[in-house]
Amino acid sequence: MRAEAREALKGKWNISALAALVYVLVSLVIQAPAERMTIVTIILALTIGVMMGINLYYIFQDLLLAGKKPEIGELFSFKNYWKVLATTLLAGVLIIIGVILLIVPGIIVALGLSQYYYILREHPEYSPAEVLSTSWKMMKGHKMEFFILGLSFIGWVLLGIISVVGILWVIPYIYTAMAAFYRKLKEIEGETIVIVEETVTE
């Protein structure tokens, strides 16, 4: 999956790093000091933060599936916002509950729900509970694989942090590999990726 990610990123590393840079900069800007936060700014920050985070996954999924170069404007797409926000909040609550019970259950829950953003894109008609349930079923027997995939990037993340700007190239690498993992899950199920309201298919 990492090899697939590198292949997909050939010739697109710099524009991908630029997309990561915009995401990081906007994320830092909207995280204003607590004393300056109001209800309006909190909602605005939550809206922008959640959607940009999800859209970053979609940008690199499109890159993997169709070789589409990242477009910065797509970071600010607000399609299906309320469903995305509700699903993200529900996933967060379930993960927090798992962490409260014990750290390990929290990690297991996080791994099991980790594919919800892709599923939500394919099935915008699903309720938040259906999206998370589908992710949990897809990840049955594959949680350790996903965990190991994440661990395999630790060295790259540390190197990126040490070099400061290097992390901007590591982020696309990770996100594209995650998209490759989801494609693998779909192939195991004997299905292809069909993105609703989009032209990109596997």
Side-chain angles (χ1 to χ4, degrees):
M1 283 172 277
R2 285 173 52 175
E4 289 180 42
R6 291 193 299 272
E7 182 64 27
L9 284 162
K10 281 184 178 179
K12 305 179 184 72
W13 282 101
N14 290 336
I15 186 63
S16 297
L18 179 60
L21 174 62
V22 172
Y23 170 71
V24 170
L25 289 179
V26 175
S27 297
L28 291 175
V29 169
I30 65 177
Q31 293 177 16
E35 63 271 14
R36 299 180 184 177
M37 296 294 279
T38 65
I39 296 298
V40 174
T41 55
I42 290 174
I43 293 175
L44 180 61
L46 182 62
T47 298
I48 297 174
V50 169
M51 293 309 299
M52 284 186 65
I54 297 295
N55 288 335
L56 199 63
Y57 282 105
Y58 297 162
I59 284 173
F60 292 111
Q61 184 182 40
D62 288 348
L63 183 148
L64 176 79
L65 297 180
K68 182 179 178 182
K69 288 186 177 181
E71 296 181 10
I72 306 303
E74 292 182 359
L75 282 171
F76 304 97
S77 171
F78 285 75
K79 293 179 181 178
N80 207 21
Y81 169 67
W82 292 109
K83 184 70 68 65
V84 170
L85 179 59
T87 306
T88 301
L89 290 176
L90 179 57
V93 169
L94 293 174
I95 292 171
I96 290 173
I97 291 174
V99 171
I100 291 175
L101 294 176
L102 276 177
I103 298 298
V104 173
I107 295 174
I108 293 174
V109 172
L111 292 171
L113 305 181
S114 62
Q115 307 303 303
Y116 82 86
Y117 27 83
Y118 298 127
I119 296 167
L120 189 56
R121 190 185 194 191
E122 281 192 273
H123 299 284
E125 76 281 5
Y126 281 11
S127 69
E130 288 175 323
V131 172
L132 298 181
S133 175
T134 301
S135 177
W136 186 263
K137 292 175 182 177
M138 287 184 70
M139 288 296 287
K140 184 177 181 180
H142 301 287
K143 297 183 186 69
M144 183 56 68
E145 295 174 45
F146 191 67
F147 183 68
I148 292 174
L149 177 61
L151 286 181
S152 72
F153 285 103
I154 288 180
W156 287 104
V157 171
L158 292 176
L159 184 61
I161 292 174
I162 291 173
S163 63
V164 184
V165 296
I167 193 67
L168 298 178
W169 281 265
V170 176
I171 291 173
Y173 188 16
I174 294 174
Y175 275 62
T176 307
M178 297 301 181
F181 182 87
Y182 181 71
R183 181 167 65 178
K184 175 187 175 184
L185 291 180
K186 295 289 289 187
E187 290 173 349
I188 290 174
E189 295 185 349
E191 300 177 3
T192 57
I193 299 174
V194 179
I195 300 175
V196 177
E197 298 181 350
E198 299 285 345
T199 59
V200 180
T201 58
E202 182 184 347

